[in-house]
């Protein structure tokens, strides 16, 4: 029985446990999984005469004196010690809030004691010193000089720490917990046969190597093993999900027999274009799966404009033909409203079932969003419950709310990244029989990410763009160049005069709000859900750059711009009431508004074919994939699209490289890969799907493709041999713990 569930308070005492709790570490297992961020090089023993500033050194020396004093100027306490090699002196400095915190050092650093001191050399008032050095004292931490040398030559683990819990205290806590553990105390989720086959150390061995390495090889091997473990547990969980889904029942929704009346056949007959080869073959796959008594679980990837909506609609119509209903879920109300419009348009009279002039075997499209008036809402609910509406469009709330369906047979989710594993599970658990599921995404997902995040789904892709698109040209416009900016607005004028429309995208809503500098601020209402945005600006100098442009400010500016005289400028952002958003989108679609200034709320799916120009302010501060999504909003009709990226990035910076890459290629897959390379893993997973980052600490989804594939093979074999994992209690436990974490995060977010 493992000890990793034991509370730290029971093992380390309340005080230490309390401070570790601030880092989110509650149990022995939490602490053991708090891996070092990196390892200090113990450096080489250095002649004190030749200590160079900035160098990481280890010196063997004798303590000459040590004194603690209160600092008057700054508050807090200071311990200063002097060590000597007999000829030269070196100062050691430790700071703390209270003198008491320095006592343990003072107790150890007694004059005459010999030790090894490790740190980076700095200078203070002409005197060389080490600040907060790591050290080992002979006769205290080590028996003799030789063992002191050994202790001090190990890589020094450096932990993710905080001001109140420094790395060395974490290290000590880890040792207290880890040192007495035996093999029985540690459950290993990786079965012994798998470890033997792949030559991986067992879990306890690996914990020792990662926390107390004797050399670099130790922690590297341990790190590889834990990467494998993370991938393995995840893949085993996904394999179980797939197995469970395969067992689940769904209602088969076969297509109508040839010759029978069919809304799908009528729809195909009235389509103004021919389906692309990809649309046809993906459509066939979907049609076949819908006809099975098992729930379809399919992810449909396709570049913006590749025609996913038609594929989804045809699937919905097959379900309607079979007597069922389909729900289409969009991430926002604006998009839901637009989807409803698009579907009604595509269906024409087929969407007027039961109405005078409607087609005989037509159906109805109901829109159900929070912003509906009471009467409209009641009507939509009634249509869903009675089955009068074969297609119900809404946001994800549709599934949570007490919406009754007559016979829900298919759920289509547009834009996957806000529809995570938890929601998919909730959906499958909803009825006695699960509905079929089709998830659509326009963000190309590298294979291993798909395997990690969507490992429970089958994938199909639309790779061609329907003919007749004129494509899009992208230019970078330096914000500081007035001639280029003039030209930008002149181009907008020309397009509007030609009967087209323009988007102007800004990162912020209000001009006067402070520019947030931390990721946490991304959640604030000031930004319209732009996760990419701040992650990328962090670490890049933001303080000395011009403030971000804001929707309201830019709209005012454009309304007084002589070049845009007589043009109607509208505004769209996430703080507007849903009804106002819909209204302005409708006016933009109809041409009453010709220039729409907005935040990234238009990122996904908005479809106004007359829109031909997009101007993006502060383009250098957005993520690549996001910009690519954004520009997909223009050039959707027969006229060519133009995207102008207004940038304040200095030439030669990564930000400049990012916007230039975008101007050079429209290959979404290349851009997505580039984007991933520019991000950290947490962001990749966070952006792709919530709730995964907690279980992945070391695994890198893009770089560790081999590990993931290997883990998938091994995990699938283990689950196939023993679907309930009766013989793998440790693996079962690890999967449950992971699900609990996800559940928790999900609840916290909700
Ligand atoms: P996506 O959702 O993949 O971004 P849409 O389904 O919105 O793409 O399609 C974009 C536009 O292309 C729509 O106006 C749609 O009617 C049109 N379209 C779809 N399929 C075809 C096709 N095979 N030929 C021509 N136009 C198409
Ligand atoms: Mg779409």
């Amino acid at each position: 029985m493992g000890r990793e569930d034991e509370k730290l308070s029971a093992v380390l005492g309340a005080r230490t446990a309390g401070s570790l709790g601030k880092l989110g570490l509650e149990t022995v297992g939490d602490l053991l999984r708090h891996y070092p961020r990196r390892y200090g090089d113990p450096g080489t023993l250095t002649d004190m005469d030749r200590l160079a500033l900035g160098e990481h050194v280890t010196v063997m020396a004798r303590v000459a004196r040590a004194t603690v004093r209160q600092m008057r100027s700054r508050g807090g306490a200071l311990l200063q010690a002097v060590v000597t090699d007999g000829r030269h002196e070196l100062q050691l400095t430790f700071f703390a809030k209270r003198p008491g915190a320095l006592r343990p050092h003072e107790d150890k650093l007694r004059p005459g004691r010999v030790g090894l001191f490790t740190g980076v050399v700095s200078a203070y008032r002409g005197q060389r010193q080490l600040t907060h050095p790591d050290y080992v004292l002979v006769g205290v931490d080590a028996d003799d000089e030789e063992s002191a040398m050994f202790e001090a030559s190990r890589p020094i683990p450096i932990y993710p720490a905080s001001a109140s819990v420094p790395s060395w205290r974490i290290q000590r806590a880890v040792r207290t917990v880890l040192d007495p553990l035996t093999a029985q105390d540690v459950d290993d989720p990786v079965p012994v046969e798998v470890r033997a086959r792949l030559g991986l150390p067992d879990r306890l061995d690996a914990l020792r190597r990662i926390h107390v390495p004797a050399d670099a090889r130790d922690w590297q091997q341990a790190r590889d093993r834990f990467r494998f473990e993370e991938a393995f547990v995840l893949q085993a969980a996904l394999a179980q999900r797939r197995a469970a889904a395969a067992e689940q029942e769904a209602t088969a929704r076969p297509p109508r027999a040839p010759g029978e009346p069919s809304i799908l056949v009528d729809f195909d007959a009235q389509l103004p274009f021919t389906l692309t080869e990809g649309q046809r073959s993906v459509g066939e796959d979907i049609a076949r799966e819908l006809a099975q008594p098992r729930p379809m679980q399919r992810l449909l990837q396709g570049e913006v404009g590749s025609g996913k909506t038609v594929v989804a609609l045809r699937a919905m119509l097959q379900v309607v033909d079979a007597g069922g209903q389909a729900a289409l879920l969009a991430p926002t109300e604006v998009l839901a409203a637009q989807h409803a419009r698009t579907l009604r348009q595509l269906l024409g009279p087929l969407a007027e079932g039961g109405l005078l002039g409607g087609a005989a075997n037509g159906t109805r499209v109901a829109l159900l969003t929070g912003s509906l008036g009471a009467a409209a809402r009641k009507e939509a609910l009634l249509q869903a419950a009675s089955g009068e509406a074969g297609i119900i469009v809404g946001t994800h709330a549709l599934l949570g709310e007490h919406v009754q369906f007559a016979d829900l047979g298919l759920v289509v989710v547009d834009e996957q990244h806000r529809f995570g594993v938890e929601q998919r599970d909730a959906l499958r658990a909803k009825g006695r029989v699960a509905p079929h599921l089709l998830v659509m995404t326009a963000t190309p997902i590298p294979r291993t990410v798909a395997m990690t995040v969507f490992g429970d789904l089958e994938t199909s892709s639309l790779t061609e763009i329907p003919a007749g698109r004129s494509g899009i040209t992208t230019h970078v416009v330096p914000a500081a160049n007035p001639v280029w900016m003039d030209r930008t607005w002149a181009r907008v004028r020309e397009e509007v005069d030609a009967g087209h429309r323009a988007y102007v995208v800004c990162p912020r809503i209000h001009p006067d709000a402070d520019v947030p500098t931390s990721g946490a601020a991304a959640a604030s209402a000031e930004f319209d859900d732009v996760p990419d945005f701040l992650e990328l600006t962090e670490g890049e100098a933001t303080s000395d750059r011009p403030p971000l442009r804001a929707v309201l400010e830019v709209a005012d500016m454009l309304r007084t711009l002589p070049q845009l005289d007589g043009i109607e400028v509208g505004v769209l952002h996430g703080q507007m009431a849903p009804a106002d958003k819909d209204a302005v989108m409708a006016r933009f679609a109809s041409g009453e508004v010709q220039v729409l200034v907005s935040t990234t709320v238009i990122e996904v799916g908005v479809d106004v074919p007359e829109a031909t120009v997009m101007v993006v302010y502060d383009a250098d501060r957005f993520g690549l994939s996001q910009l690519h999504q954004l520009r997909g909003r223009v050039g959707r009709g027969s006229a060519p699209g133009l995207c102008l990226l207004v940038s304040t990035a200095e030439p030669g910076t990564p930000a400049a490289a990012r916007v230039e890459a975008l101007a050079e290629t429209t290959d979404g897959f290349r851009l997505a890969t580039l984007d991933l390379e520019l991000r950290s893993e947490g962001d990749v997973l966070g952006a792709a799907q919530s709730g995964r980052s907690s279980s992945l600490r070391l695994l890198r989804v893009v770089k560790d493709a081999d590990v993931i594939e290997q883990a998938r093979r091994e995990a699938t074999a283990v689950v196939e041999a023993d679907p309930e994992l009766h013989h793998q209690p440790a693996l079962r436990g690890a999967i449950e713990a992971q699900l609990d974490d996800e559940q928790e995060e999900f609840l916290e977010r909700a």
Side-chain angles (χ1 to χ4, degrees):
M1 183 51 210
R3 294 187 52 193
E4 295 193 41
D5 291 335
E6 280 178 29
K7 289 275 176 215
L8 285 174
S9 52
V11 186
L12 295 172
R15 260 197 49 207
T16 306
S19 52
L20 291 171
K22 287 188 198 129
L23 295 172
L25 309 174
E26 303 288 344
T27 65
V28 167
D30 291 344
L31 181 60
L32 293 176
R33 277 188 300 275
H34 192 67
Y35 304 126
R37 187 205 307 279
R38 60 194 168 84
Y39 295 86
D41 177 356
T44 37
L45 273 186
T46 310
D47 180 351
M48 296 245 288
D49 192 21
R50 290 193 295 174
L51 294 179
L53 288 182
E55 207 179 329
H56 193 277
V57 299
T58 302
V59 296
M60 176 75 80
R62 183 180 304 277
V63 179
R65 55 188 179 273
T67 43
V68 174
R69 55 190 183 78
Q70 198 82 36
M71 284 187 291
R72 246 162 304 139
S73 52
R74 293 200 280 157
L78 174 71
L79 169 78
Q80 275 181 317
V82 171
V83 297
T84 170
D85 62 0
R87 288 176 302 152
H88 311 282
E89 291 197 336
L90 177 66
Q91 191 147 311
L92 314 180
T93 310
F94 299 83
F95 298 98
K97 279 215 187 77
R98 291 163 293 103
L102 296 169
R103 293 292 171 224
H105 288 301
E106 197 185 15
D107 280 350
K108 285 168 77 179
L109 293 169
R110 299 225 188 105
R113 279 193 174 155
V114 172
L116 276 161
F117 303 88
T118 302
V120 176
V121 182
S122 59
Y124 182 69
R125 295 195 175 149
Q127 173 83 44
R128 276 173 300 192
Q129 67 168 15
L130 305 179
T131 307
H132 288 278
D134 267 299
Y135 59 91
V136 185
L137 290 168
V138 174
V140 181
D141 314 291
D143 297 336
D144 50 34
E145 259 185 49
E146 198 179 325
S147 57
M149 293 278 280
F150 174 70
E151 276 297 320
S153 68
R154 291 165 174 265
I156 300 158
I158 297 168
Y159 288 91
S162 70
S164 58
V165 199
S167 175
W168 61 266
R169 261 179 66 194
I170 297 170
Q171 185 182 357
R172 192 181 308 156
V174 168
R175 292 293 296 266
T176 308
V177 165
L178 179 60
D179 287 354
L181 289 185
T182 64
Q184 287 79 35
D185 298 326
V186 179
D187 292 329
D188 196 333
V190 184
V192 59
E193 313 82 58
V194 174
R195 285 201 315 265
R197 188 162 42 244
L198 304 179
L200 299 171
D202 70 41
R203 188 172 161 82
L204 178 59
D205 187 17
L207 285 169
R208 296 230 156 94
R209 289 183 200 220
I210 207 160
H211 288 294
V212 198
D215 53 31
R217 248 180 76 87
D218 262 353
W219 63 257
Q220 284 158 1
Q221 282 182 349
R223 184 198 53 197
D224 290 348
R225 184 225 125 96
F226 286 121
R227 280 191 180 142
F228 179 83
E229 178 183 319
E230 286 170 12
F232 181 77
V233 171
L234 188 56
Q235 292 301 334
L238 292 170
Q240 281 195 307
R241 277 196 170 109
R242 284 196 303 272
E247 297 274 287
Q248 233 181 346
E249 269 182 70
T251 308
R253 312 282 181 176
R256 287 278 167 94
E260 276 182 53
S262 154
I263 188 170
L264 176 56
V265 169
D266 291 353
F267 174 75
D268 283 346
Q270 70 170 48
L271 255 187
F273 45 72
T274 33
L275 296 177
T276 64
E277 194 43 48
Q279 284 172 321
R280 206 191 332 271
S281 78
V282 170
E284 279 168 15
D285 289 344
I286 293 173
R288 206 173 316 114
E289 284 183 283
L290 290 175
Q292 301 297 317
R294 280 184 306 282
M296 173 174 80
Q297 315 274 341
R298 190 160 281 276
L299 174 70
L300 174 57
Q301 300 193 51
E303 185 74 47
V304 172
S306 58
K308 295 183 293 296
T309 309
V310 174
V311 172
L313 178 53
R314 294 185 69 249
M316 293 192 260
L317 295 180
Q318 176 171 332
V319 170
V320 171
D321 268 341
Q325 291 169 297
L328 173 58
L329 310 186
T332 66
E333 298 209 337
V334 172
L335 285 171
Q338 176 177 314
H339 270 311
R341 261 198 307 275
T342 307
L343 296 185
R344 285 180 187 134
Q345 228 164 44
L346 281 165
L347 286 165
L350 292 172
E352 293 164 13
L355 294 185
L356 206 61
N361 56 343
T363 187
R364 301 288 287 275
V365 176
L367 173 67
L368 238 171
T369 59
S371 53
L372 287 184
R377 185 177 169 77
K378 206 168 146 204
E379 168 71 18
L381 283 170
L382 197 67
Q383 289 189 355
S386 66
E388 194 185 340
I391 296 174
I392 298 93
V393 185
T395 63
H396 298 160
L398 203 55
L399 294 181
E401 283 176 22
H402 302 287
V403 178
Q404 293 284 321
F405 297 94
D407 181 11
L408 182 60
L410 168 66
V411 172
V412 179
V413 182
D414 192 17
E415 303 306 336
Q416 94 300 332
H417 54 279
R418 293 158 229 220
F419 196 73
V421 170
E422 311 91 344
Q423 286 98 324
R424 298 205 289 273
D425 283 348
L427 178 61
R428 276 168 217 152
K430 219 171 149 56
R432 183 183 52 81
V433 293
H436 298 281
L437 175 66
L438 179 65
V439 179
M440 303 194 287
T441 172
T443 316
I445 303 168
R447 218 168 64 83
T448 52
V449 176
M451 261 166 36
T452 307
V453 181
F454 301 106
D456 55 342
L457 302 181
E458 309 287 334
T459 308
S460 15
S461 304
L462 292 177
T463 49
E464 54 191 318
I465 297 284
R469 292 299 164 67
S470 354
I472 182 163
T473 315
T474 304
H475 296 290
V476 180
V477 178
N481 187 325
V483 177
W484 281 66
M485 287 308 298
D486 274 356
R487 183 72 195 125
T488 298
W489 301 122
R491 286 293 288 121
V492 169
R493 167 104 245 169
E494 286 163 23
E495 290 299 320
V496 171
D497 286 348
H500 302 146
R501 314 226 224 297
Y503 293 106
V504 179
V505 179
C506 306
R508 287 200 298 160
I509 301 171
H510 298 285
D512 45 356
D514 284 342
V515 179
T517 51
S518 78
S524 86
E526 175 58 18
F527 291 82
D528 271 348
D529 189 20
V530 221
D532 284 1
F533 187 71
L534 291 163
E535 281 158 15
L536 284 163
T537 54
E538 243 183 330
E540 292 171 16
T542 49
S543 51
D544 51 353
R545 298 179 64 174
L548 300 171
R549 303 306 294 264
V551 168
L552 300 178
E553 161 215 18
V554 167
D556 283 346
M557 188 271 287
L558 295 181
R559 285 178 180 130
T560 58
L561 205 65
Q563 277 149 315
L564 301 189
D565 195 30
I567 288 177
E568 189 64 25
V569 176
V571 155
L572 177 70
H573 60 74
Q575 287 180 3
M576 290 163 56
D580 294 341
K581 288 190 228 170
D582 289 347
V584 74
M585 274 316 295
R587 292 179 70 213
F588 186 63
S590 73
E592 268 175 85
V593 165
Q594 296 106 17
V595 173
L596 185 65
V597 187
S598 92
T599 56
T600 52
V601 286
I602 56 157
E603 179 185 348
V604 279
V606 170
D607 194 4
V608 176
E610 294 83 4
T612 52
V613 207
M614 174 176 288
V615 180
V616 184
Y617 267 111
D618 295 305
D620 50 308
R621 316 278 282 271
F622 289 90
L624 268 180
S625 290
Q626 192 175 22
L627 284 173
H628 182 59
Q629 290 281 317
L630 276 170
R631 78 173 159 182
R633 302 299 113 214
V634 294
R636 292 169 77 85
S638 53
L642 175 67
C643 177
L644 300 169
L645 302 172
V646 181
S647 163
T648 60
E650 295 291 331
T653 59
R658 221 154 44 217
V659 280
E660 280 154 21
L662 208 84
E664 273 158 30
T665 182
T666 51
D667 180 340
F669 200 88
R670 255 193 65 196
L671 287 169
T673 309
L674 240 163
D675 208 8
L676 290 176
E677 284 166 10
L678 294 169
R679 290 153 171 270
S680 71
E681 291 303 316
D683 305 339
V684 174
L685 293 168
Q689 188 241 303
S690 54
R692 260 293 132 68
S693 33
S694 61
S695 54
L696 298 188
R697 285 153 199 275
L698 296 170
L699 190 68
R700 299 157 309 172
V701 184
V702 182
K703 292 197 186 107
D704 292 329
D706 295 351
V707 180
I708 293 173
E709 297 200 15
Q710 193 177 50
R712 185 177 176 89
R713 274 196 304 277
E714 297 287 348
T716 305
V718 168
V719 170
E720 265 169 17
D722 179 8
E724 304 292 326
L725 298 174
H726 289 305
H727 305 291
Q728 308 291 348
L731 177 55
R732 214 169 57 223
I735 291 172
E736 276 160 19
Q738 182 186 300
L739 283 177
D740 286 349
D741 280 356
E742 282 172 15
Q743 207 81 37
E744 234 164 73
E745 280 191 21
F746 181 55
L747 291 176
E748 276 164 20
R749 278 196 319 275

